[in-house]
Every structure is written in C-alpha cells, then in structure tokens.
Amino acid sequence: MKDEILIKVSHLQKAFNGGRNVLSDISIDIRRGEKIVIIGPSGCGKSTFLRCINRLEEPTGGTITFEGVDVTDSNVNMDLQRQKMGMVFQHFNLFPHLTIMQNLTLAPVTLKLKTEEEAKKIGFELLKKVGLEDKMDKYPSTLSGGQKQRIAIVRSLAMNPDVMLFDEPTSALDPEMVGEVLNVMKDLAKQGMTMLVVTHEMGFAREVADRILFIHGGVIEEQGTPDEIFNHPQSERLRQFLKAIL
Amino acid sequence: MIQSFYETMIEGERYVLILQGLGVTILIAVCAIIIGTVLGCILALMKISDSKLLRVIGTLYTTVLRGLPLATQLMIFYFIVFAPLHLPKLLVAILAYGLNSGAYCTEIFRAGIQGVDRGQTEAGRSLGLSKKQTLFKIILPQAAKAVLPTYTSEFIVLIKETSVASFIAVMDMTKAGDMIRNSTYNAWIPLLTCAVIYLILTLGLTKVFGGFEKRMAKSER
C-alpha cells in the first residue's frame, strides 16, 4: 500500500477576501506513509496550504482528494473527514477547562466512536508513550509548553487518524523544549504515520522528511529529498532562503 | 436615634411596608434575571449564528432595548405593549425588566463566547467535532467562566433598577421607603433603611458569585 495516494491536491488556490492570492496554484500527490516537510519564508502560504487540507481555511479554487473523497466538495461531511486528519497547532490549543485525560477522550467519546472506558484506556496507553501518564488528572495550565504540545499530539492520535498535519509545532516553544516534541514526532514517523509538517526545524526536515516542499509566492517553488533541497538547491529563491536560515 | 427609628418604622407597623417592598424588589429581580438569562442565551446564539436574518433580529433587539431608558421602556410596556392584555402591574414589571435584562445578557454572553480563543474552535473542529458539539463542549464552558463577573454586575444593576418600578405604581422597596417618608415627615430613617438593605443585597450577591468564581478557577489547578 506504500504507493497508495492518500491526498491528492490539484491546482489549489486560496485568496483572502477576494484580495491577493495566498496560494496561486498548488498540486501535489501525497502517498500513504510519506513524511512531507513544508518550508518557506513567513507569509509564503505554507500554513494556509496545510489548513486548506482539513478545510480550516476554505480553498477558493482547485480540489483536494483525501482517501478518494473530494473534500473541497461542499456536500461532503467534513466533520467525518476531519476525524481521520489529526492537526497539531503552533499554540497547542488544549482545552483549558478539561483535564489532560478529558482532553484526550472528549472527541472519541462525544463522537460515539469509543465508550468512556475504551477511550480512557487508549488515552492512558498514548500518554505512557510520551511519558506523561502521571499528568492525566492535571489541567493544561499546569504543564510546560513542551508537555502541552506532546499532549496536543496525543489528543489527535486518540482519534486514530490516517494523516497528521503539524502547523509549526515547535515555533511557540522555549528552545530547551523543542527536542522533546520533535522526538515524539520522530517516533510517530518511524511508526509509519503519514505526516505533513510545516516547520523551521531544518534538522528535523533533514532527518525525517521523505520529501521537502519549498513554497514561495503561493506555489511549490521546488521540491525534493532532503539531500536535493539542502545540498543541491536549484532555484535562486531556495538558495537565498537556505542562506538566510542556516 | 433608636427612639426615632421606633417612631417611624415600628409604630403603625410601617416596617411591614418595607418588607413588602423588599419582597417585590427581590421577586422582580430574580424573575427578571431568569427571563433575561434564558433570553440572553437564545439571542446570543442568534447573534453568532450563520443566518443573517437571525443576526439582524438579535442586533435589532439589543440595540432598541439597550438604547432606551428603563423608565421609558417600563411605561411603554405597561401603557402600550401589554395594555390590551390587562395584566397585573407586577407581572408587567417582571416582563419588562426581564426583556430588558435579556438584551444586556445577550451582549454579555456574546462577548464571552467570542472572547474564547479562535484556536479552541479550530482544535475542536480539527478533531471532527461538529460546530454544535464544539460550541457546547468546548466554547460555552469556557465562556461561562469568563462572563461570571459581568453577569454578577448585571444582576446587581437589575436589583438597583427595580427602584424605578414605581413609574407604573408598583410598590418596590424604594417606593415603600418613600411612602413612609411621606407619612412620617422623616426622610432619614426610611430612606437609609432602604439604602442599607440594598447594600446588604448587593454585597451578599457579590460575595456569593465571587465564591463561584473562586471555585471555578480552582478547578484548573
């Protein structure tokens, strides 16, 4: 199944309020199990691209097919599709009024996918994997940024998604906490999860990515393996970008 | 001082008037806050809904009812809106205060809901929760906590505003105090008695709701 296409993006377009095109024309096929890292200067549209995939942003043109379903079709039940797409945000967005365990079980239980007990059991196993099982009855406000983000990842995993979208997951963290979050993501990658990661962590990109997309000016300016992108950049813009950040 | 308190308030059992007035004041305030809260919930949801019609209705309601002085509204309700129904004055007062409070509650609740970080909605939706599930499981619990202080002050304002109910000849506590002043020619004792009771009511309420707030804050630690 390695070559099965999980997400197919064709000519994706996004313009805000009829103004400037943030994404002008993006097409890409993402295979099951693939790890894709998306890089590019700020404001290039890389987060918008990610958020279009689960339609937190409404695309203004083109199509996105996820597991054979056209998710840009307005008749599609997007809630159902989103259950299979996990998303991790820059600012964690844990639910502050719920305990860690309740954060994990809210969606599976509310959506009647699992009973409370099943969801708790799965939640506990997941927490153990990230070493935070002792925090299950605590509230998010008592955790460090790194811990919050690990919980946020686990909260998405509790839905057993087919793809995980990461929107700058380490950008809001203190430097000493970046590592613990990246390690969880690396483990996830090893387990074969399909991942799309918007990040500035070039070390992570080099190590984990099957493919790196360099987005600039609303299009995929260049794509390739980490070796191709970092060691043999073709376009002038990518060279400039790499020079600026490395 | 005690002598004159006795002469004005106890003699002729005039304190009974104050107690009756107090009963009316509390009855109006409590019923009105209940009506206002229910109405506020409904209208706040209308104001944040996707339907333009519902939003316009909500906005129209809050604009008109918050834009007019309460005494004016009270008289309009009594002499015009509810006049054909021949309702008891007290009931009209309760309805008028409730409808008015509904407008303020709407704005309090709307601000509370919209004050919850957008990321919370996005997190809920990204997990596959519907708009409604996200609203009820994630947004409203957080909004409830955030609005508690303003909601308390709305209740307190309401208690104090019952004092204009006399515009439609409802005898609330202020009116009772005023009647005693009229019949005894002593302004100090009855009006200060009213003042003290109002203070006890409002301070007590502040304390009670403050306790709620503390308990809710504790749940996050």
Side-chain angles (χ1 to χ4, degrees):
Chain A
M1 296 288 273
K2 182 77 184 165
D3 289 336
E4 178 199 351
I5 289 173
L6 188 68
I7 301 172
K8 186 179 182 62
V9 180
S10 328
H11 306 294
L12 177 67
Q13 241 185 48
K14 172 69 185 178
F16 282 110
N17 298 329
R20 184 181 68 99
N21 264 1
V22 181
L23 301 176
S24 3
D25 185 359
I26 295 214
S27 296
I28 181 179
D29 291 351
I30 298 160
R31 290 183 296 279
R32 194 180 284 277
E34 220 181 348
K35 283 73 171 131
I36 299 214
V37 170
I38 303 157
I39 60 173
S42 58
C44 71
K46 52 193 193 299
S47 282
T48 307
F49 167 56
L50 202 66
R51 290 160 59 84
C52 278
I53 291 179
N54 68 352
R55 263 177 60 193
L56 282 185
E57 301 287 355
E58 262 338 296
T60 44
T63 58
I64 299 170
T65 313
F66 171 64
E67 297 184 329
V69 178
D70 178 2
V71 295
T72 44
D73 180 347
S74 55
N75 294 321
V76 161
N77 180 348
M78 202 53 211
D79 296 334
L80 227 51
Q81 300 304 317
R82 287 198 185 112
Q83 294 179 13
K84 293 178 279 177
M85 304 173 162
M87 186 169 217
V88 174
F89 301 87
Q90 183 176 355
H91 296 289
F92 331 129
N93 298 346
L94 293 180
F95 307 132
H97 61 300
L98 301 176
T99 64
I100 300 308
M101 186 52 90
Q102 289 168 336
N103 264 274
L104 304 194
T105 58
L106 178 72
V109 173
T110 304
L111 295 166
K112 299 196 168 64
L113 302 172
K114 304 238 160 53
T115 65
E116 179 103 34
E117 290 77 56
E118 286 170 343
K120 272 188 181 165
K121 215 176 120 199
I122 292 166
F124 190 76
E125 290 305 315
L126 286 167
L127 284 176
K128 244 163 67 181
K129 274 190 194 158
V130 296
L132 291 172
E133 70 272 22
D134 57 324
K135 303 288 187 197
M136 60 184 237
D137 295 322
K138 295 272 192 310
Y139 284 88
S141 59
T142 62
L143 304 186
S144 73
Q147 291 172 331
K148 281 182 192 164
Q149 195 60 301
R150 278 144 73 199
I151 297 294
I153 294 172
V154 166
R155 177 177 66 181
S156 289
L157 292 178
M159 287 296 290
N160 196 19
D162 294 337
V163 60
M164 286 285 284
L165 312 171
F166 292 86
D167 189 3
E168 304 205 23
T170 56
S171 298
L173 295 175
D174 291 335
E176 75 269 21
M177 293 173 180
V178 170
E180 61 188 74
V181 171
L182 291 181
N183 282 336
V184 171
M185 292 167 63
K186 284 176 198 166
D187 282 346
L188 199 56
K190 275 187 210 132
Q191 289 159 29
M193 176 64 75
T194 312
M195 294 164 71
L196 272 77
V197 185
V198 170
T199 188
H200 298 288
E201 295 293 329
M202 294 305 145
F204 175 84
R206 209 186 275 269
E207 189 184 331
V208 174
D210 295 318
R211 210 168 7 147
I212 296 176
L213 311 183
F214 172 63
I215 295 189
H216 190 286
V219 296
I220 299 174
E221 176 89 13
E222 195 167 335
Q223 58 172 303
T225 62
D227 178 55
E228 287 167 345
I229 293 288
F230 290 118
N231 302 334
H232 312 287
Q234 301 297 308
S235 71
E236 184 53 35
R237 279 174 180 155
L238 177 56
R239 274 197 288 271
Q240 275 175 4
F241 175 72
L242 291 173
K243 212 160 90 188
I245 59 158
L246 290 179
Chain B
M1 176 78 182
I2 293 169
Q3 176 66 22
S4 96
F5 183 81
Y6 183 84
E7 279 169 9
T8 10
M9 302 299 284
I10 312 293
E11 246 173 48
E13 296 191 327
R14 277 186 281 265
Y15 69 92
V16 174
L17 277 181
I18 294 279
L19 288 182
Q20 281 172 350
L22 175 63
V24 169
T25 288
I26 292 176
L27 183 70
I28 293 177
V30 170
C31 293
I33 197 76
I34 292 170
I35 296 173
T37 305
V38 173
L39 204 57
C41 288
I42 297 167
L43 284 162
L45 291 180
M46 283 168 68
K47 279 190 103 165
I48 58 164
S49 81
D50 291 331
S51 150
K52 187 161 185 199
L53 179 69
L54 292 182
R55 287 203 306 269
V56 168
I57 294 172
T59 306
L60 204 65
Y61 187 91
T62 51
T63 309
V64 172
L65 274 94
R66 297 197 312 158
L68 298 175
L70 190 54
T72 317
Q73 277 179 46
L74 202 56
M75 289 193 284
I76 289 175
F77 278 122
Y78 185 61
F79 293 110
I80 301 171
V81 179
F82 293 126
L85 300 175
H86 300 291
L87 299 177
K89 282 179 287 200
L90 187 59
L91 184 59
V92 174
I94 286 172
L95 287 173
Y97 279 103
L99 292 171
N100 178 262
S101 177
Y104 285 94
C105 284
T106 302
E107 284 307 304
I108 293 171
F109 297 159
R110 184 197 53 76
I113 291 167
Q114 290 180 337
V116 176
D117 183 53
R118 227 171 73 94
Q120 292 290 310
T121 307
E122 291 187 348
R125 299 305 302 275
S126 79
L127 287 164
L129 296 174
S130 67
K131 203 171 172 181
K132 204 169 139 192
Q133 287 164 334
T134 305
L135 182 66
F136 283 95
K137 299 269 179 177
I138 296 168
I139 306 304
L140 290 186
Q142 295 182 56
K145 196 175 294 186
V147 302
L148 204 53
T150 13
Y151 182 70
T152 314
S153 49
E154 165 59 17
F155 197 7
I156 286 170
V157 166
L158 193 53
I159 288 181
K160 292 184 291 184
E161 279 185 339
T162 52
S163 62
V164 299
S166 57
F167 271 88
I168 59 169
V170 168
M171 194 199 72
D172 72 305
M173 191 165 64
T174 301
K175 183 68 189 170
D178 192 47
M179 282 160 68
I180 297 174
R181 178 189 64 79
N182 248 326
S183 57
T184 59
Y185 302 108
N186 183 338
W188 280 73
I189 299 290
L191 294 181
L192 286 184
T193 305
C194 288
V196 168
I197 296 176
Y198 278 121
L199 264 180
I200 292 172
L201 280 180
T202 52
L203 283 178
L205 265 178
T206 312
K207 268 248 150 47
V208 169
F209 279 92
F212 284 156
E213 250 174 82
K214 256 196 202 130
R215 197 173 316 161
M216 282 176 133
K218 218 181 249 168
S219 78
E220 278 185 19
R221 250 169 257 137

